Amino acid sequence: MKLSQFKFKLPEEKIALHPTKYRDESRLMVVHKSTGAIEHVIFKDILNYFDDQDVFIFNDTKVFPARLYGNKEKTGARIEVFLLRELNEELRLWDVLVDPARKIRIGNKLYFGEDDSMVAEVIDNTTSRGRTLRFLYDGPHDEFKKALYALGEPPLPPFIKRAAEPEDEERFQTIFAKNEGAVTVPASGLHFSRELMKRMEIKGIEPAFITMHCGLGNFRDIDVEDLTKHKMDSEQMFVEADVCRIVNAAKDRGNKVCAVGTSVMRAIETAVGTDGHLKEFEGWTNKFIFPPYEFSVADAMVANFQMPLSTMLMLVCSYGGYELVMEAYNTALKEDYRFGTYGDAMLILNK
C-alpha cells in the first residue's frame, strides 16, 4: 500500500486538546469485522463485549516529563530540550532533541530552573536536531533524576497545540503506568479507570502487562510513498513469562485476547512464535505493521482515532481491514468523535 492511501481531511477542531472529565466516559465506536456493523457506545461499556477468562493486554510503560526549557549561556536564548533517553547513568549523559537546533553547538552550556540550578554541557551532535548533553550534577543519581524531572513537563504530542497544564501531570499517564521510559503515552490505555479495572476483575477478565517504551518515532513524518521503504525508530520492549502464561492459556482455551493499543499490538507481534504463542522477549523492536498483514495473537483491539498518514493508522487498518477502518473513520468525522491522544476510541472485534 502507498502512503497517500492513509490521507484524510482532519479538521483541527476534531483533535481533542483535553481529556474527558472521567477516563472511561469518552466515546467508543465498536466495529464488528465479520459483519462490518458499527455501534456507538460509551467506553465503560467495553466490558459488554467480553466474558469471564478473556484477557486484556496493556502497556505499563510510564511517561517521564521529557520536555524542559533552558537558556543558553551568554545570550540567554530560550531553548527547548526534549529528553529522549539516558545514555550513561554515572556520567549523566542524555540523548536529547533541541530547538532551535541551529543555535546549539558542542561546548555550549545550557541553564535550567529559575535559579539556573541545573547546568548541562553539549558534548556531541548526533543528528540535525539531536545532541548529547552532560548534566553537571554532583549528587546521587536518584537525587539528580528527581531534580531533572522537577524541571520538566508532560511531553504532549505536537498536534495538541497548547502548553502543558496541571491536569496533564495525571491524565497524560495510564493508571497502571509502572516502568519508566516512554516519551509519549500509550493513548488507548488512558480510557481505563480504577472503577473499570475493578469491574473487569469482578467479571473475571484477566489483565496482562507488557512494557514498550513509546518513542517520538510514532509522530515522525513518513517521507516515502512506498511504505516498504519506511524504517521505524526502534523502541525498547519487555514481554515477561507472566504475560506469556496468561495469554497463551487464554488462546488454548479459546478465550478472546484484546490488545489495548498499537504499541501492545506491535510488541506481541514481535514476540509471537511460529505456533501463535507468545514468547518471552527483552530487547528492541522496529516492527512496522501496514496492510496486508497476518496477525497471530489478538482477537480484538482497542485504538484511539489516529492522525492521517500515521504508522498507528496503518496498523489499525491492517487489523480491521483498510476499507472498513477508513469507512469507520469517515463515520467518526460525521459523528463528531474526538481524535488523537486525548480523543475517543475504537474497539475492533475480530470474532
Side-chain angles (χ1 to χ4, degrees):
M1 294 197 82
K2 304 295 183 197
L3 175 66
S4 51
Q5 289 174 269
F6 297 91
K7 188 174 185 178
F8 63 92
K9 190 168 176 12
L10 179 62
E12 288 243 331
E13 64 271 16
K14 304 281 189 191
I15 299 171
L17 297 183
H18 297 272
T20 50
K21 187 176 180 185
Y22 300 108
R23 286 179 185 267
D24 57 14
E25 290 193 355
S26 56
R27 295 170 72 193
L28 178 68
M29 180 187 288
V30 183
V31 178
H32 297 265
K33 194 175 173 184
S34 56
T35 63
I38 289 174
E39 295 178 76
H40 306 284
V41 296
I42 299 298
F43 193 86
K44 59 187 173 186
D45 297 332
I46 193 170
L47 300 192
N48 297 343
Y49 300 89
F50 296 90
D51 298 310
D52 180 35
Q53 293 194 299
D54 287 344
V55 170
F56 276 59
I57 312 176
F58 299 98
N59 184 357
D60 66 5
T61 187
K62 189 174 185 180
V63 182
F64 61 90
R67 182 177 278 117
L68 45 153
Y69 296 92
N71 297 100
K72 189 180 166 187
E73 63 177 335
K74 296 176 185 165
T75 67
R78 189 175 194 246
I79 306 295
E80 179 186 287
V81 172
F82 198 103
L83 303 171
L84 295 177
R85 62 193 175 100
E86 191 169 37
L87 299 172
N88 185 303
E89 193 175 296
E90 196 183 337
L91 297 175
R92 314 279 195 259
L93 298 184
W94 278 77
D95 183 15
V96 306
L97 294 177
V98 292
D99 190 30
R102 60 190 161 73
K103 293 189 174 182
I104 301 301
R105 294 186 171 82
I106 293 172
N108 287 158
K109 282 196 172 70
L110 298 174
Y111 294 86
F112 302 92
E114 285 178 17
D115 52 357
D116 294 342
S117 55
M118 183 76 74
V119 185
E121 184 179 16
V122 182
I123 63 166
D124 190 21
N125 282 1
T126 47
T127 64
S128 59
R129 286 183 63 208
R131 302 287 187 273
T132 301
L133 291 189
R134 179 170 60 217
F135 286 91
L136 310 176
Y137 193 95
D138 290 333
H141 184 259
D142 287 354
E143 197 182 281
F144 159 68
K145 284 281 274 288
K146 195 174 172 187
L148 181 64
Y149 287 178
L151 297 167
E153 60 180 46
L156 299 179
F159 51 77
I160 296 182
K161 293 181 177 168
R162 63 169 176 82
E165 295 171 12
E167 70 168 351
D168 300 310
E169 299 280 338
E170 181 205 352
R171 297 299 299 275
F172 198 70
Q173 197 82 270
T174 63
I175 61 162
F176 39 78
K178 178 178 158 192
N179 297 307
E180 188 180 271
V183 296
T184 188
V185 71
S188 305
L190 292 176
H191 302 284
F192 289 83
S193 63
R194 283 176 178 78
E195 294 77 14
L196 186 54
M197 298 295 273
K198 188 68 188 168
R199 283 178 49 226
M200 279 178 66
E201 185 189 326
I202 292 165
K203 194 163 183 178
I205 298 167
E206 201 167 359
F209 297 91
I210 61 94
T211 304
M212 181 188 269
H213 296 316
C214 307
L216 279 189
N218 293 291
F219 305 120
R220 195 156 58 84
D221 290 341
I222 299 177
D223 50 15
V224 286
E225 175 68 0
D226 178 356
L227 296 179
T228 61
K229 293 186 164 55
H230 177 66
K231 296 282 184 288
M232 290 282 280
D233 291 1
S234 290
E235 292 168 306
Q236 194 175 20
M237 57 168 276
F238 304 85
V239 177
E240 294 179 350
D242 205 35
V243 66
C244 295
R245 178 184 56 75
I246 293 167
V247 171
N248 294 338
K251 296 288 289 178
D252 292 343
R253 286 192 307 267
N255 281 96
K256 278 199 198 99
V257 173
C258 180
V260 178
T262 56
S263 62
V264 167
M265 193 65 94
R266 284 180 58 228
I268 61 179
E269 286 297 319
T270 297
V272 71
T274 50
D275 58 357
H277 279 72
L278 216 48
K279 312 285 187 200
E280 289 180 62
F281 185 98
E282 180 178 336
W284 297 75
T285 183
N286 62 353
K287 192 170 189 68
F288 177 29
I289 298 175
F290 59 95
Y293 183 88
E294 208 61 47
F295 290 84
S296 308
V297 183
D299 308 292
M301 176 186 191
V302 181
N304 275 29
F305 287 95
Q306 313 291 352
M307 296 294 112
L309 304 173
S310 65
T311 59
M312 286 93 83
L313 173 60
M314 292 164 194
L315 190 152
V316 176
C317 285
S318 303
Y319 190 75
Y322 175 79
E323 283 82 11
L324 181 56
V325 169
M326 295 312 276
E327 181 197 330
Y329 268 55
N330 279 330
T331 303
L333 288 166
K334 286 179 195 146
E335 296 287 334
D336 271 341
Y337 275 75
R338 291 151 36 96
F339 281 65
T341 305
Y342 278 150
D344 297 317
M346 174 191 281
L347 169 65
I348 302 172
L349 292 168
N350 223 347
K351 66 177 191 182

